[in-house]
Amino acid sequence: MTAPRTPEPRPAAEPFLTGRTALVTGAAGGIGSACALALAEAGAAVRATDRDTAGLDALTGRAQGLPGTVEAHSLDLVDLDAAEEAAAGVDILVNNAGMQLVRPLHEFPPDAFHTVLTVMLEAPFRLIRGALPHMYAQGWGRIVNLSSVHGLRASPYKAAYVAAKHGLEGLSKTAALEGAPHGVTSNCVNPGYVRTPLVERQVADQAEAHGISRDEVLEEILLRDSAVKRLAEPEEVAAAVLYLCGPRSGFVTGSSLTLDGGWTAH
């Protein structure tokens, strides 16, 4: 597998989100954890949600000493009512939680398809629905939806994931059009393959399905169409999320910000 890239040193973020409250789903690891830390570094009070309570505890430990705070909240997004309630009163919503199952369409378990769509599309709808009243009342809000290159392109064997991400793109654009008169922006961030536990599991699934090594999965399948031959790092994605929550992005809405190493340039 491609060696991890050492993140470039960066100066501490200006605390431009002091006084703002953010909610990040799927925050116990990977992109979600990086987003929670980036937002807290910029001064936000972050509600970090996940089912993985141990991962959340580790995250809150890493956040000690930052200008903002990270507070752990156990949340299973299958409980849609709880998801909507959790988003009440937030200024920034980062819909990040995701899951993946790699199977041919004719073998894809219907219950798994339903769960993926619930967690990755219906739950973001309910979270946005819960967050908007407060955002509208104050005339400011930021919604960032962690989509994927698979929100713009399809790949075989990922029917539920691709369907959910394509749906999330439409949901995000609708929120952008409705939110604009109220000072609320809504955008997607579309990374290619990122070094996360979800991608690590996907590499293992692909290796088993194709009878090849993990390195061959990276080189011949995952990174085949990428001009930059490495996985993205969670911190790179978090930097894009932070930009969309910042003071110079108010005119950016209804957009899909692609971080794919040149994949979609073909």
Side-chain angles (χ1 to χ4, degrees):
M1 182 171 292
T2 307
R5 170 184 177 273
T6 302
E8 297 176 5
R10 69 177 191 274
E14 177 188 350
F16 56 81
L17 293 177
T18 299
R20 299 293 189 188
T21 300
L23 186 149
V24 180
T25 66
I31 295 171
S33 177
C35 288
L37 291 171
L39 291 165
E41 188 176 12
V46 181
R47 302 178 192 172
T49 71
D50 207 299
R51 294 184 303 176
D52 179 2
T53 54
L56 289 176
D57 288 343
L59 172 64
T60 57
R62 293 171 62 194
Q64 297 300 313
L66 294 178
T69 59
V70 176
E71 187 176 86
H73 293 266
S74 178
L75 177 65
D76 187 343
L77 293 179
V78 172
D79 186 342
L80 296 171
D81 289 339
E84 184 168 331
E85 292 171 7
V90 302
D91 307 303
I92 297 165
L93 172 62
V94 180
N95 282 314
N96 165 72
M99 55 198 308
Q100 176 67 282
L101 181 64
V102 180
R103 295 287 188 280
L105 257 172
H106 64 287
E107 298 176 0
F108 209 100
D111 58 339
F113 189 94
H114 173 75
T115 300
V116 171
L117 268 290
T118 299
V119 170
M120 293 175 54
L121 183 56
E122 192 167 1
F125 156 69
R126 294 291 295 271
L127 285 152
I128 292 171
R129 188 174 187 272
L132 283 179
H134 170 71
M135 293 180 178
Y136 283 2
Q138 69 178 0
W140 192 93
R142 296 290 181 265
I143 299 167
V144 184
N145 300 297
L146 264 298
S147 183
S148 165
V149 170
H150 283 112
L152 309 172
R153 300 285 191 273
S155 289
Y157 311 119
K158 301 175 184 178
Y161 189 89
V162 171
K165 293 300 189 185
H166 274 66
L168 186 63
E169 294 282 328
L171 176 65
S172 182
K173 288 178 173 62
T174 300
L177 295 177
E178 294 187 15
H182 306 279
V184 176
T185 65
S186 175
N187 293 284
C188 286
V189 173
N190 300 67
Y193 290 104
V194 183
R195 193 179 303 282
T196 65
L198 186 148
V199 168
E200 297 284 355
R201 289 192 296 270
Q202 189 176 156
V203 170
D205 285 346
Q206 291 274 15
E208 181 179 356
H210 295 281
I212 59 179
S213 71
R214 294 168 65 89
D215 285 345
E216 287 174 308
V217 170
L218 276 176
E219 295 168 8
E220 299 175 13
I221 299 176
L222 271 63
L223 300 178
R224 180 187 60 197
D225 295 325
S226 177
V228 180
K229 298 299 185 183
R230 66 170 175 84
L231 298 175
E233 299 298 331
E235 293 79 11
E236 294 177 293
V237 182
V241 172
L242 191 62
Y243 161 70
L244 292 172
C245 298
R248 298 177 179 86
S249 61
F251 202 64
V252 183
T253 195
S255 295
S256 299
L257 179 54
T258 307
L259 293 82
D260 68 351
W263 181 354
T264 54
H266 289 281

